[in-house]
């Protein structure tokens, strides 16, 4: 029997909030425990830790935050929406907290606390004024420091629509280098703070991505799935913008995810002037434009000139837009620290221009917000054009392609990715073990550090060095806190009290727990919903070992000497000279353990040791046959002289591909940046200097020949063992690579190590790994969007405008978060390369595919950071080690391989070490689920959410038609994911998890329907019943809030 109980509205501590009807439906097994919880919720709202907001667009007495309270403008007039705003970077030239406090004003006069203080004051001074605030990471810092009276005041301003939250992510995330899971997290946390604090009036209606350097389709799709009615962008390609202004298509409908159809459509507005005020109208104290001097009795009276100049600018702007409403952004970076200065001048501008209506002027100015502007457009009778591609790459001038930042600071990018994957594990274990509030505070430290790290000057690598160090430190703090959570959770789940340790330096093959020991227990957590065989590599000393798994079963392993370049990584401090490699079979969402014992020397087992064959590239020293390494699925042939890869054979399909992989670098352009021709390569900009005529390859005159190939000592080693076979290529003194085949693996690993990049020749370098093949790719290649949707790229071409190409390399670079591939349609073959961090990638020539792995530069590109990108570590240029995974197979089977592998790598297992000799139960395993999730479903997140609820986010990881089986819809029973708890209610939420999906009613727009092909109707999958079974179609992400009861 199903009991449905709808809770009555309850009031928060702030009595002016209303509209928080709790829509959670309590279904079966409603117990005293639930009842108690409900009662407690009534009494102390903090027990529920924020109340779900029902999202209904109905407002209560005194609430004027809905669209219906927007200024309407006047018919037959040019209605100018004056938007007062500030743009607050969560770190760039100063750290996030330095910006908050306003410290280090010698670097930048910017203090966010003063902005919020003074804006509140200025809003109170005049009811007509409005202001928007965007970055919840900053707002929350301020809010926690305010007293009850200020909380009350801010509630009033929010409820009256005078202070409006826009976008609301913890930070304004980058769109090129962010993984989609991180984007969702960034919004989930920012919106949660707003929802819990301000209820319906705090919920942002639109996205505001006005500073990121290019825009992704996946971000737009996620914005739509948050229920946003629109998305405002600041930076698009200058040629694109010119055309859009001419054709009045600055505003359009973005079809952001073809698989999801109109659910992922989002109205997108390109702001006329990035996000700045019109030229000469910045009234901030940070600016030097004149104020409105309107007293004729005084000197320098300028009112008439100011008014006519402004009206002229607005009339020009009106030429590029299709309605009688215009948006004018009045603000800039860290503006409004003395808000009164801005508002006083805007008050005058509005007053004097509107007075001209008495003399026949048709211009009407008023304080507004972007969402009110959007609503005015929605009410206009216009049919909007559509767009289906994305906004990459972004060029702001003919030599200013913002494509360098796709790769800048590769170590931070990797650290950020590793941290965000670990956050999922941390939340998962916290939820399954039902840990207490203290542990959730620890989880939040990592959550918030990651929110900051998504910022468009953080993960992008475009912040100053000291700020970047701060991001890394914050992430480290979060990781350490989550270590404690994971430890506590595992102990609770396994009913033990082991003192587990972690190793965070496995990236340089260093781990003190695996060096000196006689016996060590390893626990490996698998955060994904299917059983898998994880490849484990641990640094150890040269010895003989025994590994036993569940039931004492012997696990085969291999011991391999580390490559000499790994041994010499600067700062590496360990006695480990070897690596032990083995395969751990892991249950879905759970762990298994094994025991490693170091044996006495006499028991040495040669069969488990890899043999190293050193080769010097002297033709006379080796025989002249090429050599191969192979496993059951792949055979790789290498040139016996240089040690470089020559061909790859897929043994299953019996297809051989000629493939050569090399490293090279682009020389960074230098220049003083005072005009486009003199633009330098920097943290943001990639501008390979091809003018020096160094076309040292036989590849003709194409752009790809600009790369300076790295050849050198041509020394290599072949390593053959029972489990791993590899070729170690020592390319020169600062680039090396291990090409590796693991037994049973259907892909090839390329483990590259680059650095310290030498600068002694006075040349900044962008280092590239290039794969040259015989594939006929016909000018096209494919990259992912935030690691998710696949987007087709065509060399020297843009789908929406005629590209005048002045930078043949940089203009063809695109962000690659997870994968890039080449397709040979005639042969039906596909070559995919997966990355372990975001990088820039391209195909500059048919059959060729390249990824930029590292950059070290000597000059700045003058886009604000004012430092050359010259990362060092241990006093030398930074050494970076990373991996590419290469899949070569039939196109029809390729998506299956690559989608699964992407998740295996992203959701990497976490390894815990128990060094204490504890004779009890050394081998065990645990799984949260009763059956594996379907192969096409990924558990994107599982976490404790509000009160006693859990949040589960599931995603279908395939696109339609990618795979005949795995692209099909799949069904999951949520109860299966939390086997040990009883689900008592299920509510589907928006993707961010903060409002019930059935309460979202987005604005409708008329559009020119150009969608090709039409999205097939695949049925209504919206969850409407009380069961715990849900179905996901291709590319869907669905988020559920569950009420659960635990067994104990
Ligand atoms: Zn910014």
């Amino acid at each position: 029997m199903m009991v449905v109980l709808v809770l009555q509205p309850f009031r928060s501590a702030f009595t002016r909030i209303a509209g928080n009807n709790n829509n959670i439906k309590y279904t079966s097994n409603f117990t005293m425990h639930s009842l108690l919880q409900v009662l407690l919720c009534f009494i102390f709202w903090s027990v529920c830790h924020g109340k779900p907001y029902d999202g209904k667009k109905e407002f209560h007495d005194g609430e004027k935050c809905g669209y219906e309270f927007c200024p309407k403008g006047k018919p037959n007039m040019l209605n100018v929406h004056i938007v007062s705003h500030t743009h607050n970077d969560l770190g760039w030239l100063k750290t996030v907290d330095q910006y908050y406090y306003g410290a280090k004003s010698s670097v930048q006069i910017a203090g966010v606390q003063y902005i919020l203080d003074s804006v509140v004051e200025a809003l109170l001074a005049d009811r007509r004024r409005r202001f928007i605030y965007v970055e919840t990471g900053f707002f929350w810092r301020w809010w926690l420091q305010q007293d009850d009276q200020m909380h009350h005041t801010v509630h009033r301003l929010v409820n009256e629509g005078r202070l409006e939250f826009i976008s609301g992510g913890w930070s304004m995330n980058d769109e090129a280098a962010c993984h989609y899971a991180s984007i969702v997290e960034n919004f989930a946390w920012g919106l949660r703070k707003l929802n819990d604090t301000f209820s319906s009036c705090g919920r942002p209606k639109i996205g505001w991505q006005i500073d990121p350097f290019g825009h992704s389709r996946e971000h737009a799709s996620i914005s739509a799935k948050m229920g946003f009615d629109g998305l405002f962008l600041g930076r698009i390609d200058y040629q694109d913008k010119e055309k859009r202004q001419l054709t009045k298509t600055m505003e359009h409908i973005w079809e952001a995810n073809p698989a999801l159809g109109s659910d992922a459509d989002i109205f997108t507005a390109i702001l006329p002037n990035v996000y700045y005020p019109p030229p000469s109208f910045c009234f901030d104290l940070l600016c030097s434009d004149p104020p409105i001097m309107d007293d004729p009795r005084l000197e320098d009276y300028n009112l008439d000139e100011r008014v006519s100049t402004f009206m002229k600018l607005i009339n020009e702007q009106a030429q590029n837009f299709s309605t009688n409403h215009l948006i004018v952004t009045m603000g800039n970076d860290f503006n409004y620290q003395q808000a009164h200065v801005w508002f006083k001048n805007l008050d005058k501008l509005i007053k004097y221009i509107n007075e001209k209506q008495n003399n026949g002027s048709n211009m009407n100015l008023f304080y507004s917000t972007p969402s009110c502007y959007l609503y005015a457009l929605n009410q206009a009778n216009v049919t909007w054009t559509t767009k289906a591609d994305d906004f990459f790459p972004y060029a702001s001038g003919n030599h200013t392609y913002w494509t360098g930042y796709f790769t800048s600071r590769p170590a931070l990018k990797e650290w950020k990715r590793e941290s965000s994957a670990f956050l999922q594990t941390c939340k998962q274990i916290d939820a399954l073990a039902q840990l207490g509030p203290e542990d959730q505070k620890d989880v939040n430290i990592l959550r918030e550090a990651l929110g900051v790290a998504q910022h468009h000057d953080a993960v992008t690598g475009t912040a100053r060095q000291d700020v970047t160090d701060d991001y890394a430190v914050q992430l480290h703090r979060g990781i350490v806190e989550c270590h404690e959570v994971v430890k506590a959770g595992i102990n609770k789940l396994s009913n033990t009290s082991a003192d587990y340790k972690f190793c965070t330096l496995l990236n340089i093959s260093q781990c003190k727990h695996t060096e000196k020991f006689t016996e060590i227990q390893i626990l490996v957590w698998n955060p994904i919903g299917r059983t898998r065989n994880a490849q484990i590599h641990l640094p150890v000393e040269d010895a003989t070992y025994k590994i036993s798994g569940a039931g004492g079963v012997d696990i085969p392993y291999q011991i391999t000497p580390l490559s000499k370049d790994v041994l010499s990584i600067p700062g590496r401090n360990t006695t480990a000279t070897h690596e032990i490699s083995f395969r751990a079979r892991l249950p879905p969402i759970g762990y298994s353990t094994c025991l490693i014992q170091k044996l006495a020397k006499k028991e040495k087992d040669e069969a488990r040791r890899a043999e190293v064959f050193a080769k010097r590239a002297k033709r006379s020293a080796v025989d002249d046959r090429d050599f191969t390494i192979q496993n059951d699925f792949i055979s790789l042939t290498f040139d016996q002289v240089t040690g470089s890869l020559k061909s790859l054979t897929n043994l299953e399909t019996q297809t051989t591909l000629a493939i050569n992989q090399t490293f090279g670098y682009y020389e960074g352009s230098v220049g003083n940046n005072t005009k486009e021709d003199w633009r330098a390569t920097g943290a943001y900009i990639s501008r390979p200097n091809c003018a020096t005529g160094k076309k040292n390859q036989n590849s003709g005159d194409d752009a790809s020949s600009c790369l300076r190939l790295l050849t050198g000592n041509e020394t290599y080693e072949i390593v053959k063992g029972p489990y791993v076979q590899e070729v170690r290529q020592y390319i020169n003194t600062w680039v090396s690579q291990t090409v590796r085949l693991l037994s049973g693996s259907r892909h090839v690993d390329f483990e590259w190590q680059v650095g310290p990049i030498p600068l002694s020749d006075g040349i900044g370098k962008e280092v590239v790994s290039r794969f040259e093949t015989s594939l006929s790719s016909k000018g096209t290649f494919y990259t992912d969007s935030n690691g998710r949707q696949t987007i087709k790229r065509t060399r020297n071409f843009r789908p929406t405008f005629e590209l005048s190409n002045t930078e043949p390399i940089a203009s063809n670079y695109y962000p690659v978060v997870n994968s890039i591939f080449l397709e040979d349609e005639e042969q039906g073959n596909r070559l995919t390369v997966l990355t372990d961090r975001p990088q820039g990638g391209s195909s500059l020539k048919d059959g060729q595919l390249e990824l930029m792995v590292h950059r070290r530069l000597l000059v700045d590109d003058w886009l604000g950071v004012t430092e050359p990108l010259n990362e060092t570590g241990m006093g030398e240029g930074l050494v970076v080690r990373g991996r590419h995974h290469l899949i070569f197979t039939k196109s029809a089977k390729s998506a299956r391989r690559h989608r699964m592998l992407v998740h295996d790598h992203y959701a990497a297992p976490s390894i815990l070490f128990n060094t204490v000799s504890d004779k009890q139960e050394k081998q065990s395993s645990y799984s949260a689920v009763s059956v594996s999730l379907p192969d096409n479903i990924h558990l994107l997140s599982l976490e404790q959410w509000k009160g006693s609820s859990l949040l589960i986010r599931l995603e279908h990881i395939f696109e339609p038609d990618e795979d005949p089986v795995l692209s099909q819809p799949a069904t999951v029973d949520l109860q299966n994911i939390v086997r040990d708890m009883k689900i008592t209610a299920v509510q589907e939420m928006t993707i961010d998890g903060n409002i019930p999906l059935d309460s979202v009613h987005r604005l409708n727009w008329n559009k020119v329907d150009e969608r090709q092909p039409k999205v097939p109707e695949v049925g209504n999958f919206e969850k409407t019943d009380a069961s715990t079974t849900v179905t996901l179609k291709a590319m869907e992400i669905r988020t559920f809030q569950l009420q659960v009861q635990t067994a104990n």
Side-chain angles (χ1 to χ4, degrees):
M1 195 188 93
M2 189 179 80
V3 180
V4 177
L5 175 86
V6 179
L7 297 184
Q8 293 305 306
F10 53 87
R11 298 271 162 174
S12 79
F14 308 105
T15 52
R16 279 167 194 266
I17 311 177
N20 40 18
N21 293 318
N22 190 324
N23 245 6
I24 300 264
K25 294 178 183 68
Y26 281 77
T27 56
S28 54
N29 292 293
F30 184 77
T31 62
M32 280 311 289
H33 175 85
S34 314
L35 185 62
L36 184 65
Q37 182 72 37
V38 171
L39 289 171
L40 281 172
C41 285
F42 273 96
I43 301 162
F44 306 108
W45 78 275
S46 60
V47 171
C48 291
H49 199 52
K51 53 262 165 268
Y53 144 61
D54 73 354
K56 279 183 191 150
K57 291 195 165 76
E58 57 184 53
F59 299 96
H60 299 253
D61 288 349
E63 287 193 353
K64 294 181 176 174
C65 60
Y67 285 129
E68 57 272 42
F69 296 102
C70 282
K72 302 277 182 302
K74 297 181 177 173
N76 308 319
M77 283 220 173
L78 192 52
N79 293 296
V80 182
H81 296 245
I82 299 290
V83 171
S84 291
H85 79 106
T86 181
H87 175 64
N88 298 168
D89 294 301
L90 280 92
W92 182 38
L93 310 181
K94 309 201 287 189
T95 67
V96 55
D97 287 336
Q98 289 164 355
Y99 273 130
Y100 175 71
Y101 280 119
K104 286 178 88 171
S105 23
S106 58
V107 175
Q108 193 178 3
I109 300 172
V112 173
Q113 57 170 342
Y114 307 131
I115 296 173
L116 289 160
D117 290 343
S118 82
V119 161
V120 169
E121 209 178 297
L123 291 175
L124 292 173
D126 189 329
R127 293 189 66 85
R128 290 168 301 182
R129 294 171 177 172
R130 287 173 180 243
F131 195 78
I132 59 166
Y133 200 74
V134 178
E135 297 86 0
T136 304
F138 273 132
F139 178 79
W140 200 247
R141 277 169 167 74
W142 182 81
W143 180 255
L144 292 178
Q145 296 175 353
Q146 307 309 307
D147 60 16
D148 282 354
Q149 195 184 343
M150 181 57 87
H151 284 173
H152 191 89
T153 302
V154 174
H155 270 286
R156 180 156 60 88
L157 292 174
V158 172
N159 288 346
E160 292 175 0
R162 294 153 72 187
L163 176 63
E164 183 176 329
F165 294 105
I166 299 283
S167 218
W170 197 250
S171 66
M172 186 184 296
N173 60 266
D174 163 63
E175 298 189 38
C178 276
H179 191 275
Y180 63 92
S182 302
I183 298 175
V184 174
E185 283 290 332
N186 181 46
F187 277 97
W189 197 237
L191 295 181
R192 174 167 166 175
K193 294 294 188 193
L194 299 177
N195 285 180
D196 289 357
T197 311
F198 298 101
S199 196
S200 52
C201 284
R203 176 78 187 183
K205 303 179 189 76
I206 55 154
W208 183 255
Q209 291 285 114
I210 45 89
D211 197 25
F213 331 127
H215 300 283
S216 74
R217 230 169 59 179
E218 188 60 31
H219 181 103
S221 170
I222 290 169
S223 300
K225 299 300 280 178
M226 287 189 291
F228 284 177
D229 284 319
L231 183 57
F232 284 77
L233 310 179
R235 301 178 182 279
I236 66 163
D237 183 282
Y238 71 106
Q239 295 176 64
D240 193 4
K241 188 170 180 178
E242 267 167 34
K243 180 175 171 188
R244 288 184 180 280
Q245 284 175 330
L246 283 173
T247 54
K248 297 191 178 188
T249 54
M250 293 281 277
E251 290 151 345
H252 56 273
I253 308 290
W254 194 352
E255 295 176 336
N257 193 336
L260 304 182
S262 58
D263 279 0
D265 285 359
I266 189 157
F267 183 85
T268 302
I270 319 294
L271 291 170
N273 201 27
V274 193
Y275 56 95
Y276 320 136
S280 82
F281 284 90
C282 179
F283 296 121
D284 200 84
L285 275 196
L286 296 174
C287 298
S288 48
D289 295 339
I292 308 276
M293 297 183 268
D294 53 345
D295 188 339
R297 295 167 297 185
L298 304 182
E299 291 298 318
D300 297 336
Y301 175 86
N302 68 359
L303 178 64
D304 300 337
E305 177 277 325
R306 291 283 77 198
V307 163
S308 71
T309 303
F310 190 83
M311 292 179 76
K312 180 167 173 284
L313 287 168
I314 296 303
N315 282 318
E316 282 166 14
Q317 182 180 326
Q319 304 304 309
N320 302 327
F321 290 84
S322 50
T323 74
N324 65 330
H325 288 265
L326 291 178
I327 186 168
V328 176
T329 44
M330 285 296 194
N332 209 325
D333 296 7
F334 300 99
N335 275 197
Y336 290 83
Q337 290 175 77
Q338 283 145 310
H340 173 70
V341 182
W342 254 114
F343 279 116
K344 184 165 192 172
N345 284 285
L346 289 175
D347 289 347
K348 288 183 188 177
L349 195 67
I350 292 169
K351 172 175 171 255
Y352 289 121
I353 289 179
N354 289 352
E355 274 176 9
K356 288 196 167 283
Q357 291 171 17
N358 300 330
N359 300 326
S361 159
N362 76 337
M363 196 174 287
N364 183 36
L365 267 60
F366 46 89
Y367 285 112
S368 182
T369 67
S371 57
C372 285
Y373 171 67
L374 177 108
Y375 187 65
L377 298 186
N378 180 263
Q379 298 297 299
N381 187 22
V382 173
T383 300
W384 305 94
T385 58
T386 61
K387 172 187 175 72
D389 62 326
D390 63 2
F391 290 98
F392 283 116
Y394 164 55
S396 57
N398 56 357
H399 296 297
T400 309
Y401 277 85
W402 301 48
T403 55
Y405 84 91
F406 299 161
T407 298
S408 294
R409 301 197 189 276
L412 179 76
K413 283 180 162 73
E414 196 280 337
W415 183 225
K416 201 238 88 193
R417 167 162 327 187
E418 203 179 312
S419 308
S420 66
F422 186 59
L423 173 65
Q424 300 305 337
T425 294
C426 181
K427 292 192 301 184
Q428 215 174 65
I429 293 173
D430 172 69
L432 293 169
Q434 290 280 289
L435 298 178
E438 284 306 312
D439 290 289
Q440 276 149 67
K441 276 187 199 158
D442 293 343
V443 176
N444 293 345
I445 292 172
L446 182 55
R447 217 194 286 261
E448 292 178 9
L450 274 162
V452 171
Q454 315 305 322
H455 164 59
H456 56 270
D457 283 307
V459 65
T460 50
T462 56
R464 281 194 182 172
Q465 186 62 52
D466 61 322
V467 177
T468 303
D469 295 344
D470 182 64
Y471 292 133
V473 167
Q474 301 303 330
L475 288 176
H476 178 75
R477 280 198 190 129
I479 293 273
V480 169
E481 297 296 338
C482 260
H483 282 163
E484 294 306 312
V485 174
V486 166
K487 206 157 97 178
I490 298 277
N491 275 327
K492 192 168 173 195
L493 291 172
S494 60
N495 200 21
T496 55
S497 55
D499 183 21
Y500 287 108
K501 310 280 193 229
F502 296 81
C503 281
T504 49
L505 293 174
L506 290 173
N507 63 328
I508 56 167
S509 299
Q510 177 176 328
C511 172
K512 68 178 179 191
H513 309 302
T514 58
E515 288 166 18
K516 305 217 181 294
F517 66 96
T518 49
E519 205 174 88
I520 188 169
Q521 187 206 37
I522 311 275
L523 183 147
V524 190
W525 180 270
N526 173 21
I528 62 177
R530 56 189 150 81
T531 305
R532 69 162 146 179
N533 290 314
Q535 319 282 0
I536 310 288
H537 305 278
L538 298 172
V540 290
E541 294 180 337
D542 187 9
T544 305
Y545 298 89
K546 177 179 164 58
I547 309 181
S548 9
V553 176
D554 218 18
I555 298 178
Y557 71 88
Q558 175 178 321
I559 181 150
T560 315
L562 289 167
S563 125
K564 61 185 184 188
D565 279 11
V566 172
L567 294 175
S568 61
I569 290 173
R572 191 172 174 273
N573 180 18
T574 162
T575 56
T577 52
H578 286 63
E579 195 163 70
I580 192 164
S581 307
F582 59 97
R583 198 179 293 143
R585 187 159 176 83
L586 306 177
I589 313 173
Y591 66 78
S592 61
T593 63
C594 61
L595 187 70
I596 307 183
Q597 292 162 293
K598 195 184 271 186
L599 304 180
K601 277 214 161 61
K602 59 182 177 184
E603 293 176 66
K604 271 198 172 180
D605 180 359
E606 291 305 321
R608 284 176 170 176
R609 301 178 71 80
E611 214 177 334
V612 179
F613 306 90
K615 297 279 183 184
R616 302 273 157 209
K618 295 215 168 64
R619 191 172 284 276
S620 56
V622 288
D623 65 43
D624 53 357
R625 281 175 302 163
D626 294 330
F627 61 93
T628 62
I629 58 173
Q630 80 172 63
N631 64 14
D632 289 346
F633 304 110
I634 300 167
S635 169
L636 300 173
T637 303
F638 295 82
D639 185 293
Q640 60 92 20
V641 175
T642 62
S644 64
L645 182 62
K646 281 179 85 171
S647 72
L648 180 160
T649 301
N650 180 327
L651 298 172
E652 288 178 288
T653 61
Q654 286 298 316
T655 321
T656 296
L657 174 73
I659 178 169
N660 178 30
Q661 184 276 335
T662 47
F663 287 92
Y665 65 86
Y666 294 114
E667 295 186 1
S669 290
V670 290
N672 68 7
N673 299 297
T674 52
K675 59 178 192 176
E676 278 296 315
D677 285 352
W678 298 339
R679 176 67 67 195
T681 293
Y684 302 86
I685 302 305
S686 174
R687 191 186 176 201
N689 180 3
C690 304
T692 48
K694 298 201 177 65
K695 297 196 170 161
N696 51 356
Q697 291 82 54
N698 299 322
S699 39
D701 214 16
D702 60 277
S704 73
S705 65
C706 179
L707 190 74
R708 298 199 62 183
L709 289 184
L710 288 168
T711 53
N713 50 15
E714 295 173 343
T715 304
Y716 59 93
E717 291 169 346
I718 306 162
V719 180
K720 291 198 173 182
Y723 180 61
V724 184
Q725 298 198 20
E726 62 192 34
V727 175
R728 295 170 176 176
Q729 303 162 326
Y730 299 102
I731 290 147
N732 64 15
T733 53
W734 54 277
V735 178
S736 62
Q737 178 170 256
T738 298
V739 184
R740 183 175 290 146
L741 274 183
L742 297 171
S743 76
S745 169
R746 287 182 163 91
H747 63 273
V748 188
D749 289 342
F750 291 77
E751 190 173 83
W752 46 267
Q753 184 175 318
V754 175
I757 299 174
L759 295 175
S760 53
D761 54 3
I763 295 170
K765 297 175 183 68
E766 301 184 295
V767 181
V768 161
S769 170
R770 180 181 278 177
F771 299 85
E772 189 134 23
T773 73
S774 51
L775 292 175
S776 169
S777 54
K778 301 209 160 87
T780 62
F781 57 108
Y782 298 81
T783 58
D784 62 38
S785 183
N786 304 112
R788 201 148 189 272
Q789 300 182 56
T790 301
I791 302 198
K792 183 179 184 176
R793 311 297 187 182
T794 304
R795 201 158 54 243
N796 301 323
F797 174 80
R798 301 287 186 267
T800 56
F801 64 95
E802 194 81 32
L803 175 70
S804 161
N805 194 348
T806 41
E807 285 292 333
I809 298 167
S811 70
N812 284 307
Y813 256 74
Y814 291 88
V816 176
V817 170
N818 276 332
S819 63
I820 179 169
F821 66 83
L822 288 180
E823 182 100 22
D824 186 329
E825 284 180 14
E826 280 160 29
Q827 303 290 324
N829 291 321
R830 183 184 295 178
L831 178 81
T832 309
V833 178
L834 307 184
T835 62
D836 63 347
R837 71 199 70 196
Q839 292 171 334
S842 188
S843 169
L844 298 174
K845 194 179 166 190
D846 283 358
Q848 208 181 67
L849 183 158
E850 68 183 45
L851 288 151
M852 191 176 287
V853 296
H854 198 1
R855 321 173 73 224
R856 191 179 183 203
L857 304 165
L858 285 159
V859 294
D860 176 39
D861 51 19
W862 261 34
L863 292 162
V865 68
T866 62
E867 272 182 5
L869 182 75
N870 181 1
E871 287 188 285
T872 56
M874 312 306 293
E876 302 179 55
L878 192 67
V879 177
V880 180
R881 193 180 175 199
R883 286 197 178 96
H884 289 141
H885 310 281
L886 183 143
I887 302 166
F888 173 65
T889 189
K890 291 290 166 199
S891 307
K893 289 198 166 165
S894 194
R896 170 180 293 242
R897 293 272 153 73
H898 117 235
R899 295 272 180 197
M900 310 276 280
L901 196 57
V902 156
H903 285 86
D904 282 353
H905 286 300
Y906 177 74
S910 294
I911 309 175
L912 286 69
F913 302 87
N914 183 8
T915 53
V916 180
S917 188
D918 172 7
K919 291 293 167 200
Q920 298 178 336
E921 193 50 39
K922 286 229 168 58
Q923 297 89 35
S924 63
S925 67
Y926 160 88
S927 175
V929 303
S930 18
V931 286
S932 284
L933 296 185
D935 282 349
N936 45 7
I937 300 297
H938 178 58
L939 177 65
L940 191 52
S941 53
L942 164 62
E943 60 202 278
Q944 300 206 55
W945 196 232
K946 303 183 181 185
S948 60
S949 72
L950 295 181
L951 197 75
I952 286 189
R953 202 171 274 125
L954 292 170
E955 66 163 317
H956 192 302
I957 63 174
F958 282 78
E959 294 190 86
D961 307 324
E962 264 187 336
D963 187 279
V965 176
L966 294 175
S967 291
Q968 297 302 315
T971 299
V972 175
D973 187 345
L974 298 170
Q975 182 63 71
N976 170 48
I977 299 174
V978 285
R979 190 191 53 194
D980 295 334
M981 302 174 212
K982 176 73 190 166
I983 299 176
T984 56
V986 179
Q987 172 72 61
E988 181 156 16
M989 310 295 283
T990 47
I991 194 169
D992 56 289
N994 286 293
I995 52 174
L997 191 60
D998 55 18
S999 68
V1000 173
H1001 307 285
R1002 299 171 68 214
L1003 296 174
N1004 291 317
W1005 301 86
N1006 299 323
K1007 66 172 186 177
V1008 180
D1009 199 352
E1010 291 169 338
R1011 196 189 298 282
Q1012 290 293 342
K1014 297 281 183 211
V1015 178
E1017 283 301 321
V1018 282
N1020 177 17
F1021 291 103
E1022 191 159 318
K1023 188 169 163 38
T1024 52
D1025 59 16
S1027 75
T1028 56
T1029 304
V1030 298
T1031 300
L1032 288 93
K1033 61 185 178 184
M1035 275 288 111
E1036 230 182 358
I1037 297 177
R1038 298 182 68 180
T1039 305
F1040 302 93
Q1041 186 171 332
L1042 313 180
Q1043 299 298 325
V1044 293
Q1045 290 168 0
T1046 46
N1048 43 0

